[in-house]
Amino acid sequence: MPGVEQHKPRIVQAISDATGLSARLTQVSARWDGLRPVLTLQGIEFYDAEGRSVLRFNRVEGVLSWWSVPALKPQFVALEIAQPNLVVRRDPQGRVFIAGVLLSDQQSGQSGFGEWLLHQPSVSVRGAELEWIDELRRKPSLKLSDTDLTLENHGSERKLSLRARPPAQLAAEVQLVAELRGTDPRKL
């Protein structure tokens, strides 16, 4: 799909509006996979309100669903995220932030990224680096490497699998498999 690069500023603004974070994007490209458009974003970085880098993606590729048109928001048949760097932080008040976004804000009552993600049929994350910063307990940060996550959504049923490697002095590889039910991420 020629000319998608010229829409990069609008794509960055839409991403920033959707996440509530300042975003930067290095490159955007698109192609067709049969009758489905495939959008590839490279070099995406997000910053919190204090200007800290809280999330980086080397590459995100999504096969767009034609249901995006009537829904007026992006919906994907498959979404693959390659080698993200993600910061999860608990502040001194005990609130948890994922990529600079408050995990659960009971007062806002708005559906957000979590609900949108639960409506994507297939999400895979490969080769992630995760960092847990605990300002409440004032402990050293914990870094997990070579993390893979797969989320399959079918109606109100979700299948989640996670594999991560903590520092060798702490533990061996960790694996988690879960089946969840529900559509509200706060109630899963």
Side-chain angles (χ1 to χ4, degrees):
M1 292 189 284
V4 72
E5 184 71 26
Q6 72 187 12
H7 297 290
K8 188 168 92 171
R10 289 182 25 208
I11 292 169
V12 170
Q13 187 61 52
I15 292 169
S16 293
D17 291 346
T19 62
L21 298 170
S22 173
R24 293 193 186 127
L25 172 62
T26 304
Q27 183 179 355
V28 60
S29 61
R31 61 182 173 79
W32 289 96
D33 182 15
L35 294 175
R36 292 187 172 145
V38 178
L39 184 65
T40 303
L41 308 176
Q42 293 182 313
I44 307 167
E45 190 159 8
F46 294 90
Y47 301 87
D48 67 11
E50 286 79 40
R52 295 177 289 212
S53 175
V54 292
L55 179 60
R56 284 189 309 270
F57 297 130
N58 287 343
R59 183 180 58 80
V60 175
E61 184 169 283
V63 179
L64 283 162
S65 166
W66 285 107
W67 288 108
S68 299
V69 177
L72 298 176
K73 62 183 174 181
Q75 295 185 4
F76 294 91
V77 173
L79 185 61
E80 182 178 307
I81 301 168
Q83 301 172 326
N85 293 324
L86 175 65
V87 175
V88 180
R89 179 177 64 91
R90 181 165 59 175
D91 73 6
Q93 292 76 38
R95 298 177 300 174
V96 176
F97 294 81
I98 298 177
V101 177
L102 184 59
L103 180 61
S104 178
D105 186 358
Q106 300 294 333
Q107 297 174 3
S108 74
Q110 298 178 348
S111 63
F113 181 73
E115 283 189 48
W116 175 84
L117 192 64
L118 289 178
H119 287 92
Q120 306 309 306
S122 176
V123 178
S124 64
V125 178
R126 303 283 177 241
E129 301 289 326
L130 302 176
E131 181 177 13
W132 167 255
I133 299 171
D134 196 339
E135 296 171 353
L136 178 66
R137 295 185 61 212
R138 297 185 185 141
K139 298 289 183 184
S141 67
L142 171 65
K143 294 185 179 182
L144 301 175
S145 62
D146 196 26
T147 303
D148 294 338
L149 178 129
T150 302
L151 177 62
E152 297 290 331
N153 296 310
H154 303 285
S156 64
E157 295 181 6
R158 285 86 179 79
K159 292 183 180 179
L160 173 77
S161 64
L162 173 75
R163 184 192 57 77
R165 186 177 307 143
Q169 67 271 24
L170 291 181
E173 182 177 277
V174 175
Q175 292 187 10
L176 169 75
V177 177
E179 290 188 17
L180 308 166
R181 288 187 171 76
T183 57
D184 185 343
R186 296 169 300 215
K187 296 179 182 178
L188 291 178

